[in-house]
Amino acid sequence: MADCIFCKIANGEIPAATLYEDDDFRVILDLGPGSKGHSLVLPKAHYANLYEMPDELLGKAMAVAKKAGDALVKGLGADGLNLIQNNGLAAGQTVFHFHMHLIPRYEGKDEVIGWTPGTLTDGDKEEILAKVKI
Ligand code: 5GP
Ligand code: ZN
């Protein structure tokens, strides 16, 4: 995709701090980190979001996330790791080239993720199970 910043970064046309690269992926440091070591897993081929990603490449993406996440946590002495992947404006996606966020977490620091838990009512349960067909 000619105008896609992540296509250019993933394929080395625009430099980025690269932690890992293979034939299909590049793992880079996020320019606006939510915590120390916040990184992005980018496929070199352009897919806008999760639904466009072929299943086989998704499997590989998860394996890369596992390997890079483990190295980030060990290398930086983190206590945990969040794996986040946004799809659509409403979900916070700002760059429309599939990517996974690897966000190392440190005890007592970096409250970057969270929600206030609601309640799963019987009505909600019934409605959701009736409407969602996988
Ligand atoms: P999204 O909100 O789409 O899930 O995440 C996009 C992420 O890409 C953001 O965390 C943002 O900081 C990061 N980002 C946007 N442009 C660039 C860039 O040019 N280089 C790098 N390294 N990260 C970027
Ligand atoms: Zn792209």
Side-chain angles (χ1 to χ4, degrees):
M1 273 263 292
D3 279 341
C4 174
I5 179 100
F6 280 4
C7 275
K8 292 187 174 123
I9 290 174
N11 291 287
E13 288 166 49
I14 293 178
T18 297
L19 295 167
Y20 172 82
E21 184 182 3
D22 64 22
D23 287 348
D24 299 313
F25 296 96
R26 183 186 292 268
V27 180
I28 63 166
L29 292 178
D30 194 299
L31 272 188
S35 74
K36 186 176 180 181
H38 181 167
S39 301
L40 301 170
V41 178
L42 310 178
K44 292 186 174 179
H46 182 88
Y47 300 101
N49 53 40
L50 176 69
Y51 316 113
E52 289 192 2
M53 281 282 281
D55 287 354
E56 194 192 337
L57 197 60
L58 265 182
K60 286 185 183 173
M62 197 53 85
V64 169
K66 176 181 167 186
K67 189 157 54 179
D70 188 43
L72 280 164
V73 166
K74 286 183 178 147
L76 298 176
D79 302 301
L81 178 81
N82 288 117
L83 197 54
I84 297 182
Q85 199 277 309
N86 299 325
N87 298 282
L89 271 178
Q93 186 176 9
T94 57
V95 180
F96 292 85
H97 174 123
F98 174 92
H99 53 279
M100 287 194 291
H101 295 260
L102 303 175
I103 307 182
R105 300 299 296 271
Y106 304 88
E107 293 288 355
K109 274 213 245 168
D110 304 311
E111 284 302 321
V112 290
I113 297 161
W115 59 85
T116 307
T119 306
L120 181 64
T121 65
D122 286 344
D124 287 340
K125 220 184 295 182
E126 215 172 282
E127 180 192 345
I128 294 162
L129 292 179
K131 283 184 174 169
V132 180
K133 298 298 169 205
I134 300 172

Short mmCIF file of all heavy atoms in Angstrom, two decimals, residues 66-129:
data_model
loop_
_atom_site.label_atom_id
_atom_site.label_comp_id
_atom_site.label_asym_id
_atom_site.label_seq_id
_atom_site.Cartn_x
_atom_site.Cartn_y
_atom_site.Cartn_z
N LYS A 66 4.90 -14.06 20.96
CA LYS A 66 5.34 -14.86 22.12
C LYS A 66 6.85 -14.72 22.34
O LYS A 66 7.32 -14.46 23.44
CB LYS A 66 4.95 -16.33 21.88
CG LYS A 66 5.42 -17.29 22.95
CD LYS A 66 4.99 -18.71 22.57
CE LYS A 66 5.70 -19.75 23.42
NZ LYS A 66 5.39 -21.11 22.97
N LYS A 67 7.59 -14.89 21.23
CA LYS A 67 9.06 -14.83 21.30
C LYS A 67 9.53 -13.43 21.71
O LYS A 67 10.36 -13.27 22.61
CB LYS A 67 9.61 -15.21 19.92
CG LYS A 67 11.07 -15.40 19.85
CD LYS A 67 11.52 -16.27 18.68
CE LYS A 67 11.01 -15.81 17.31
NZ LYS A 67 11.52 -16.69 16.23
N ALA A 68 8.98 -12.40 21.05
CA ALA A 68 9.41 -11.03 21.34
C ALA A 68 8.94 -10.60 22.73
O ALA A 68 9.68 -9.92 23.46
CB ALA A 68 8.86 -10.07 20.27
N GLY A 69 7.73 -10.99 23.10
CA GLY A 69 7.20 -10.64 24.42
C GLY A 69 8.05 -11.24 25.52
O GLY A 69 8.39 -10.57 26.51
N ASP A 70 8.44 -12.48 25.35
CA ASP A 70 9.27 -13.16 26.33
C ASP A 70 10.62 -12.44 26.46
O ASP A 70 11.10 -12.19 27.57
CB ASP A 70 9.47 -14.61 25.87
CG ASP A 70 10.18 -15.46 26.91
OD1 ASP A 70 9.83 -15.34 28.11
OD2 ASP A 70 11.07 -16.23 26.54
N ALA A 71 11.21 -12.06 25.32
CA ALA A 71 12.51 -11.38 25.34
C ALA A 71 12.38 -9.99 25.98
O ALA A 71 13.29 -9.56 26.72
CB ALA A 71 13.05 -11.26 23.91
N LEU A 72 11.29 -9.29 25.71
CA LEU A 72 11.08 -7.97 26.32
C LEU A 72 10.99 -8.08 27.84
O LEU A 72 11.62 -7.33 28.59
CB LEU A 72 9.79 -7.33 25.78
CG LEU A 72 9.89 -6.68 24.39
CD1 LEU A 72 8.50 -6.47 23.81
CD2 LEU A 72 10.64 -5.35 24.48
N VAL A 73 10.17 -9.02 28.29
CA VAL A 73 9.96 -9.18 29.73
C VAL A 73 11.28 -9.56 30.41
O VAL A 73 11.67 -8.96 31.42
CB VAL A 73 8.86 -10.23 30.00
CG1 VAL A 73 8.85 -10.67 31.46
CG2 VAL A 73 7.49 -9.66 29.61
N LYS A 74 11.98 -10.52 29.83
CA LYS A 74 13.25 -10.96 30.45
C LYS A 74 14.31 -9.86 30.36
O LYS A 74 15.00 -9.58 31.33
CB LYS A 74 13.76 -12.23 29.77
CG LYS A 74 12.94 -13.45 30.18
CD LYS A 74 13.48 -14.72 29.56
CE LYS A 74 12.66 -15.92 30.04
NZ LYS A 74 12.56 -16.97 29.01
N GLY A 75 14.42 -9.25 29.19
CA GLY A 75 15.47 -8.25 28.97
C GLY A 75 15.28 -7.00 29.81
O GLY A 75 16.25 -6.38 30.24
N LEU A 76 14.04 -6.62 30.04
CA LEU A 76 13.77 -5.36 30.74
C LEU A 76 13.38 -5.58 32.19
O LEU A 76 13.10 -4.62 32.91
CB LEU A 76 12.68 -4.57 30.00
CG LEU A 76 13.04 -4.17 28.56
CD1 LEU A 76 11.85 -3.49 27.87
CD2 LEU A 76 14.24 -3.23 28.55
N GLY A 77 13.32 -6.82 32.62
CA GLY A 77 12.93 -7.11 34.00
C GLY A 77 11.49 -6.73 34.29
O GLY A 77 11.18 -6.27 35.39
N ALA A 78 10.62 -6.90 33.29
CA ALA A 78 9.19 -6.58 33.50
C ALA A 78 8.54 -7.70 34.31
O ALA A 78 9.09 -8.80 34.45
CB ALA A 78 8.50 -6.41 32.15
N ASP A 79 7.36 -7.39 34.84
CA ASP A 79 6.64 -8.37 35.68
C ASP A 79 5.47 -9.01 34.94
O ASP A 79 4.90 -9.99 35.42
CB ASP A 79 6.12 -7.65 36.93
CG ASP A 79 7.26 -7.01 37.71
OD1 ASP A 79 8.17 -7.74 38.12
OD2 ASP A 79 7.26 -5.77 37.85
N GLY A 80 5.10 -8.44 33.78
CA GLY A 80 3.98 -8.99 33.02
C GLY A 80 3.98 -8.40 31.63
O GLY A 80 4.85 -7.58 31.27
N LEU A 81 3.02 -8.82 30.83
CA LEU A 81 2.95 -8.37 29.43
C LEU A 81 1.50 -8.33 28.98
O LEU A 81 0.76 -9.29 29.19
CB LEU A 81 3.71 -9.36 28.55
CG LEU A 81 3.70 -9.07 27.05
CD1 LEU A 81 4.73 -7.99 26.70
CD2 LEU A 81 3.99 -10.33 26.23
N ASN A 82 1.10 -7.22 28.38
CA ASN A 82 -0.21 -7.16 27.72
C ASN A 82 -0.01 -7.27 26.22
O ASN A 82 0.89 -6.65 25.65
CB ASN A 82 -0.93 -5.84 28.00
CG ASN A 82 -1.43 -5.72 29.42
OD1 ASN A 82 -1.00 -4.85 30.16
ND2 ASN A 82 -2.33 -6.61 29.82
N LEU A 83 -0.87 -8.05 25.61
CA LEU A 83 -0.91 -8.19 24.16
C LEU A 83 -2.22 -7.54 23.74
O LEU A 83 -3.29 -7.98 24.14
CB LEU A 83 -0.93 -9.69 23.85
CG LEU A 83 -0.60 -10.16 22.46
CD1 LEU A 83 0.74 -9.63 22.03
CD2 LEU A 83 -0.57 -11.69 22.46
N ILE A 84 -2.12 -6.47 22.92
CA ILE A 84 -3.33 -5.74 22.53
C ILE A 84 -3.35 -5.61 21.02
O ILE A 84 -2.31 -5.42 20.38
CB ILE A 84 -3.34 -4.33 23.16
CG1 ILE A 84 -3.38 -4.46 24.67
CG2 ILE A 84 -4.54 -3.52 22.69
CD1 ILE A 84 -3.46 -3.15 25.38
N GLN A 85 -4.54 -5.68 20.47
CA GLN A 85 -4.67 -5.60 19.01
C GLN A 85 -5.99 -4.91 18.72
O GLN A 85 -7.06 -5.44 19.02
CB GLN A 85 -4.61 -7.03 18.44
CG GLN A 85 -4.29 -7.12 16.98
CD GLN A 85 -5.51 -6.92 16.13
OE1 GLN A 85 -6.51 -7.59 16.36
NE2 GLN A 85 -5.44 -6.02 15.17
N ASN A 86 -5.92 -3.69 18.18
CA ASN A 86 -7.12 -2.87 17.97
C ASN A 86 -7.64 -3.00 16.54
O ASN A 86 -6.87 -2.97 15.59
CB ASN A 86 -6.79 -1.40 18.25
CG ASN A 86 -6.33 -1.17 19.68
OD1 ASN A 86 -6.81 -1.82 20.60
ND2 ASN A 86 -5.38 -0.25 19.87
N ASN A 87 -8.96 -3.08 16.41
CA ASN A 87 -9.60 -3.16 15.09
C ASN A 87 -10.72 -2.14 15.01
O ASN A 87 -11.72 -2.27 15.73
CB ASN A 87 -10.17 -4.56 14.84
CG ASN A 87 -9.07 -5.60 14.83
OD1 ASN A 87 -8.35 -5.74 13.86
ND2 ASN A 87 -8.91 -6.31 15.93
N GLY A 88 -10.54 -1.14 14.13
CA GLY A 88 -11.59 -0.13 13.93
C GLY A 88 -11.38 1.08 14.84
O GLY A 88 -10.82 0.97 15.93
N LEU A 89 -11.85 2.23 14.33
CA LEU A 89 -11.72 3.50 15.06
C LEU A 89 -12.29 3.39 16.47
O LEU A 89 -11.69 3.88 17.43
CB LEU A 89 -12.49 4.60 14.31
CG LEU A 89 -11.75 5.38 13.24
CD1 LEU A 89 -12.70 6.38 12.58
CD2 LEU A 89 -10.54 6.10 13.83
N ALA A 90 -13.45 2.76 16.59
CA ALA A 90 -14.13 2.67 17.88
C ALA A 90 -13.31 1.89 18.89
O ALA A 90 -13.47 2.06 20.10
CB ALA A 90 -15.51 2.02 17.72
N ALA A 91 -12.42 1.04 18.38
CA ALA A 91 -11.57 0.23 19.26
C ALA A 91 -10.20 0.88 19.49
O ALA A 91 -9.33 0.29 20.12
CB ALA A 91 -11.39 -1.16 18.67
N GLY A 92 -10.02 2.08 18.93
CA GLY A 92 -8.76 2.79 19.14
C GLY A 92 -7.71 2.56 18.07
O GLY A 92 -6.57 2.99 18.22
N GLN A 93 -8.09 1.91 16.97
CA GLN A 93 -7.11 1.71 15.89
C GLN A 93 -6.86 3.04 15.18
O GLN A 93 -7.82 3.71 14.79
CB GLN A 93 -7.61 0.65 14.87
CG GLN A 93 -6.55 0.31 13.83
CD GLN A 93 -6.99 -0.80 12.86
OE1 GLN A 93 -8.14 -1.21 12.86
NE2 GLN A 93 -6.05 -1.26 12.05
N THR A 94 -5.59 3.41 15.08
CA THR A 94 -5.25 4.67 14.40
C THR A 94 -4.43 4.43 13.14
O THR A 94 -4.38 5.28 12.27
CB THR A 94 -4.45 5.60 15.34
OG1 THR A 94 -3.27 4.92 15.78
CG2 THR A 94 -5.28 6.01 16.55
N VAL A 95 -3.75 3.29 13.06
CA VAL A 95 -2.99 2.95 11.85
C VAL A 95 -3.63 1.69 11.27
O VAL A 95 -3.68 0.64 11.95
CB VAL A 95 -1.50 2.71 12.17
CG1 VAL A 95 -0.74 2.36 10.90
CG2 VAL A 95 -0.88 3.94 12.84
N PHE A 96 -4.08 1.79 10.04
CA PHE A 96 -4.90 0.72 9.47
C PHE A 96 -4.07 -0.28 8.67
O PHE A 96 -4.32 -0.55 7.50
CB PHE A 96 -6.09 1.34 8.70
CG PHE A 96 -7.02 2.01 9.67
CD1 PHE A 96 -6.79 3.32 10.08
CD2 PHE A 96 -8.06 1.31 10.26
CE1 PHE A 96 -7.60 3.92 11.04
CE2 PHE A 96 -8.88 1.90 11.22
CZ PHE A 96 -8.65 3.21 11.60
N HIS A 97 -3.06 -0.78 9.36
CA HIS A 97 -2.21 -1.88 8.91
C HIS A 97 -2.11 -2.76 10.15
O HIS A 97 -1.63 -2.29 11.20
CB HIS A 97 -0.84 -1.32 8.48
CG HIS A 97 0.21 -2.33 8.13
ND1 HIS A 97 0.85 -2.36 6.89
CD2 HIS A 97 0.77 -3.34 8.85
CE1 HIS A 97 1.75 -3.34 6.87
NE2 HIS A 97 1.72 -3.96 8.05
N PHE A 98 -2.56 -4.00 10.05
CA PHE A 98 -2.60 -4.89 11.22
C PHE A 98 -1.33 -4.77 12.06
O PHE A 98 -0.22 -4.76 11.53
CB PHE A 98 -2.76 -6.34 10.74
CG PHE A 98 -2.67 -7.34 11.87
CD1 PHE A 98 -3.81 -7.76 12.52
CD2 PHE A 98 -1.44 -7.86 12.27
CE1 PHE A 98 -3.73 -8.68 13.57
CE2 PHE A 98 -1.35 -8.77 13.32
CZ PHE A 98 -2.50 -9.18 13.97
N HIS A 99 -1.49 -4.71 13.35
CA HIS A 99 -0.34 -4.74 14.25
C HIS A 99 -0.79 -5.22 15.62
O HIS A 99 -1.94 -5.06 15.99
CB HIS A 99 0.34 -3.37 14.37
CG HIS A 99 -0.59 -2.26 14.72
ND1 HIS A 99 -1.39 -1.64 13.78
CD2 HIS A 99 -0.88 -1.66 15.89
CE1 HIS A 99 -2.12 -0.71 14.36
NE2 HIS A 99 -1.84 -0.70 15.66
N MET A 100 0.15 -5.81 16.33
CA MET A 100 -0.10 -6.22 17.71
C MET A 100 0.80 -5.42 18.63
O MET A 100 2.00 -5.25 18.34
CB MET A 100 0.17 -7.71 17.89
CG MET A 100 -0.89 -8.57 17.24
SD MET A 100 -0.79 -10.27 17.80
CE MET A 100 0.71 -10.76 17.04
N HIS A 101 0.21 -4.91 19.71
CA HIS A 101 1.00 -4.19 20.72
C HIS A 101 1.53 -5.19 21.75
O HIS A 101 0.76 -6.01 22.27
CB HIS A 101 0.12 -3.20 21.48
CG HIS A 101 -0.43 -2.08 20.64
ND1 HIS A 101 0.13 -0.83 20.62
CD2 HIS A 101 -1.49 -2.04 19.81
CE1 HIS A 101 -0.57 -0.05 19.81
NE2 HIS A 101 -1.57 -0.75 19.30
N LEU A 102 2.81 -5.09 22.04
CA LEU A 102 3.41 -5.84 23.15
C LEU A 102 3.75 -4.81 24.22
O LEU A 102 4.59 -3.93 23.98
CB LEU A 102 4.70 -6.54 22.71
CG LEU A 102 4.59 -7.50 21.52
CD1 LEU A 102 5.98 -8.01 21.15
CD2 LEU A 102 3.69 -8.67 21.87
N ILE A 103 3.07 -4.87 25.35
CA ILE A 103 3.25 -3.84 26.37
C ILE A 103 3.74 -4.48 27.68
O ILE A 103 2.96 -5.09 28.41
CB ILE A 103 1.94 -3.05 26.60
CG1 ILE A 103 1.42 -2.53 25.26
CG2 ILE A 103 2.17 -1.92 27.59
CD1 ILE A 103 0.16 -1.70 25.36
N PRO A 104 5.06 -4.36 27.92
CA PRO A 104 5.59 -4.89 29.18
C PRO A 104 4.95 -4.14 30.35
O PRO A 104 4.72 -2.93 30.26
CB PRO A 104 7.09 -4.60 29.11
CG PRO A 104 7.38 -4.34 27.66
CD PRO A 104 6.13 -3.75 27.10
N ARG A 105 4.70 -4.84 31.43
CA ARG A 105 4.08 -4.21 32.62
C ARG A 105 5.00 -4.38 33.82
O ARG A 105 5.66 -5.42 33.97
CB ARG A 105 2.72 -4.86 32.89
CG ARG A 105 1.73 -4.71 31.73
CD ARG A 105 1.42 -3.27 31.40
NE ARG A 105 0.75 -2.59 32.48
CZ ARG A 105 -0.58 -2.55 32.65
NH1 ARG A 105 -1.36 -3.12 31.77
NH2 ARG A 105 -1.12 -1.92 33.67
N TYR A 106 5.01 -3.37 34.65
CA TYR A 106 5.89 -3.33 35.81
C TYR A 106 5.04 -3.13 37.06
O TYR A 106 4.15 -2.26 37.06
CB TYR A 106 6.89 -2.17 35.65
CG TYR A 106 7.69 -2.28 34.36
CD1 TYR A 106 7.19 -1.70 33.16
CD2 TYR A 106 8.88 -2.97 34.30
CE1 TYR A 106 7.90 -1.82 31.96
CE2 TYR A 106 9.59 -3.09 33.10
CZ TYR A 106 9.09 -2.51 31.94
OH TYR A 106 9.79 -2.64 30.76
N GLU A 107 5.29 -3.95 38.08
CA GLU A 107 4.53 -3.85 39.32
C GLU A 107 4.45 -2.40 39.79
O GLU A 107 5.47 -1.71 39.86
CB GLU A 107 5.21 -4.67 40.45
CG GLU A 107 5.20 -6.17 40.23
CD GLU A 107 3.82 -6.81 40.40
OE1 GLU A 107 2.87 -6.12 40.78
OE2 GLU A 107 3.73 -8.02 40.11
N GLY A 108 3.24 -1.94 40.06
CA GLY A 108 3.07 -0.60 40.64
C GLY A 108 3.23 0.55 39.67
O GLY A 108 3.24 1.71 40.07
N LYS A 109 3.39 0.25 38.36
CA LYS A 109 3.64 1.32 37.38
C LYS A 109 2.73 1.17 36.17
O LYS A 109 2.16 0.12 35.92
CB LYS A 109 5.08 1.22 36.87
CG LYS A 109 6.10 1.92 37.70
CD LYS A 109 7.21 2.44 36.78
CE LYS A 109 8.54 1.78 37.04
NZ LYS A 109 9.53 2.04 36.02
N ASP A 110 2.66 2.25 35.37
CA ASP A 110 2.10 2.17 34.03
C ASP A 110 0.67 1.64 33.97
O ASP A 110 0.42 0.59 33.38
CB ASP A 110 2.97 1.28 33.12
CG ASP A 110 4.41 1.74 33.05
OD1 ASP A 110 4.62 2.93 32.83
OD2 ASP A 110 5.28 0.91 33.22
N GLU A 111 -0.25 2.39 34.53
CA GLU A 111 -1.66 1.99 34.44
C GLU A 111 -2.20 2.33 33.06
O GLU A 111 -3.01 3.21 32.90
CB GLU A 111 -2.47 2.69 35.53
CG GLU A 111 -2.27 2.09 36.91
CD GLU A 111 -2.61 0.62 36.99
OE1 GLU A 111 -3.59 0.20 36.35
OE2 GLU A 111 -1.90 -0.13 37.66
N VAL A 112 -1.72 1.63 32.04
CA VAL A 112 -2.11 1.99 30.68
C VAL A 112 -3.35 1.26 30.21
O VAL A 112 -3.94 1.63 29.20
CB VAL A 112 -0.97 1.76 29.67
CG1 VAL A 112 0.15 2.75 29.86
CG2 VAL A 112 -0.45 0.35 29.76
N ILE A 113 -3.72 0.21 30.89
CA ILE A 113 -4.82 -0.60 30.40
C ILE A 113 -5.81 -0.84 31.52
O ILE A 113 -5.41 -1.07 32.65
CB ILE A 113 -4.32 -1.96 29.91
CG1 ILE A 113 -3.39 -1.75 28.73
CG2 ILE A 113 -5.46 -2.87 29.51
CD1 ILE A 113 -2.53 -2.93 28.49
N GLY A 114 -7.06 -0.83 31.19
CA GLY A 114 -8.03 -1.18 32.22
C GLY A 114 -9.43 -0.75 31.86
O GLY A 114 -9.62 0.07 30.97
N TRP A 115 -10.40 -1.34 32.50
CA TRP A 115 -11.78 -0.91 32.37
C TRP A 115 -12.46 -1.16 33.70
O TRP A 115 -11.96 -1.92 34.53
CB TRP A 115 -12.50 -1.66 31.24
CG TRP A 115 -12.53 -3.14 31.40
CD1 TRP A 115 -13.44 -3.88 32.11
CD2 TRP A 115 -11.61 -4.09 30.85
NE1 TRP A 115 -13.14 -5.22 32.03
CE2 TRP A 115 -12.02 -5.38 31.25
CE3 TRP A 115 -10.48 -3.97 30.03
CZ2 TRP A 115 -11.35 -6.54 30.88
CZ3 TRP A 115 -9.81 -5.13 29.67
CH2 TRP A 115 -10.24 -6.39 30.09
N THR A 116 -13.57 -0.46 33.87
CA THR A 116 -14.33 -0.67 35.08
C THR A 116 -15.28 -1.83 34.82
O THR A 116 -16.13 -1.74 33.93
CB THR A 116 -15.16 0.60 35.41
OG1 THR A 116 -14.25 1.70 35.43
CG2 THR A 116 -15.85 0.48 36.74
N PRO A 117 -15.14 -2.93 35.55
CA PRO A 117 -15.99 -4.08 35.25
C PRO A 117 -17.46 -3.76 35.46
O PRO A 117 -17.84 -3.15 36.47
CB PRO A 117 -15.52 -5.14 36.27
CG PRO A 117 -14.19 -4.68 36.73
CD PRO A 117 -14.18 -3.20 36.64
N GLY A 118 -18.29 -4.11 34.46
CA GLY A 118 -19.74 -3.98 34.60
C GLY A 118 -20.31 -5.27 35.15
O GLY A 118 -19.62 -5.99 35.89
N THR A 119 -21.57 -5.56 34.78
CA THR A 119 -22.21 -6.79 35.26
C THR A 119 -22.79 -7.52 34.05
O THR A 119 -23.41 -6.89 33.21
CB THR A 119 -23.36 -6.45 36.21
OG1 THR A 119 -22.85 -5.60 37.23
CG2 THR A 119 -23.95 -7.70 36.84
N LEU A 120 -22.57 -8.81 33.98
CA LEU A 120 -23.18 -9.61 32.92
C LEU A 120 -24.54 -10.07 33.42
O LEU A 120 -24.64 -10.97 34.27
CB LEU A 120 -22.29 -10.81 32.58
CG LEU A 120 -22.82 -11.72 31.47
CD1 LEU A 120 -22.89 -10.98 30.13
CD2 LEU A 120 -21.93 -12.96 31.31
N THR A 121 -25.59 -9.41 32.91
CA THR A 121 -26.95 -9.76 33.36
C THR A 121 -27.45 -10.99 32.61
O THR A 121 -26.92 -11.34 31.55
CB THR A 121 -27.93 -8.60 33.11
OG1 THR A 121 -28.03 -8.44 31.68
CG2 THR A 121 -27.46 -7.31 33.74
N ASP A 122 -28.50 -11.62 33.12
CA ASP A 122 -29.10 -12.77 32.43
C ASP A 122 -29.62 -12.33 31.06
O ASP A 122 -29.52 -13.07 30.08
CB ASP A 122 -30.25 -13.35 33.27
CG ASP A 122 -29.70 -14.12 34.47
OD1 ASP A 122 -28.49 -14.44 34.48
OD2 ASP A 122 -30.47 -14.37 35.41
N GLY A 123 -30.19 -11.11 31.00
CA GLY A 123 -30.71 -10.58 29.73
C GLY A 123 -29.61 -10.42 28.71
O GLY A 123 -29.77 -10.79 27.54
N ASP A 124 -28.48 -9.85 29.13
CA ASP A 124 -27.33 -9.66 28.22
C ASP A 124 -26.84 -11.02 27.70
O ASP A 124 -26.57 -11.20 26.52
CB ASP A 124 -26.16 -9.00 28.96
CG ASP A 124 -26.42 -7.53 29.24
OD1 ASP A 124 -27.28 -6.93 28.57
OD2 ASP A 124 -25.75 -6.99 30.14
N LYS A 125 -26.73 -11.94 28.62
CA LYS A 125 -26.21 -13.27 28.29
C LYS A 125 -27.09 -13.91 27.20
O LYS A 125 -26.59 -14.38 26.18
CB LYS A 125 -26.25 -14.14 29.55
CG LYS A 125 -25.06 -15.03 29.73
CD LYS A 125 -25.17 -15.94 30.94
CE LYS A 125 -25.20 -15.21 32.25
NZ LYS A 125 -25.28 -16.11 33.42
N GLU A 126 -28.39 -13.86 27.45
CA GLU A 126 -29.35 -14.47 26.52
C GLU A 126 -29.26 -13.81 25.14
O GLU A 126 -29.18 -14.47 24.11
CB GLU A 126 -30.76 -14.24 27.09
CG GLU A 126 -31.74 -15.36 26.84
CD GLU A 126 -33.02 -15.08 27.63
OE1 GLU A 126 -33.03 -15.31 28.86
OE2 GLU A 126 -33.97 -14.61 27.00
N GLU A 127 -29.23 -12.46 25.16
CA GLU A 127 -29.19 -11.71 23.90
C GLU A 127 -27.92 -12.02 23.11
O GLU A 127 -27.96 -12.30 21.91
CB GLU A 127 -29.26 -10.21 24.18
CG GLU A 127 -29.23 -9.38 22.90
CD GLU A 127 -29.00 -7.89 23.18
OE1 GLU A 127 -29.15 -7.45 24.34
OE2 GLU A 127 -28.67 -7.19 22.20
N ILE A 128 -26.79 -12.00 23.82
CA ILE A 128 -25.50 -12.17 23.14
C ILE A 128 -25.37 -13.58 22.57
O ILE A 128 -24.97 -13.79 21.42
CB ILE A 128 -24.33 -11.86 24.11
CG1 ILE A 128 -24.37 -10.37 24.48
CG2 ILE A 128 -22.99 -12.22 23.50
CD1 ILE A 128 -23.57 -10.01 25.74
N LEU A 129 -25.75 -14.58 23.38
CA LEU A 129 -25.65 -15.96 22.89
C LEU A 129 -26.58 -16.21 21.71
O LEU A 129 -26.27 -17.01 20.83
CB LEU A 129 -25.95 -16.94 24.05
CG LEU A 129 -24.91 -16.96 25.16
CD1 LEU A 129 -25.32 -17.94 26.26
CD2 LEU A 129 -23.53 -17.31 24.65
#
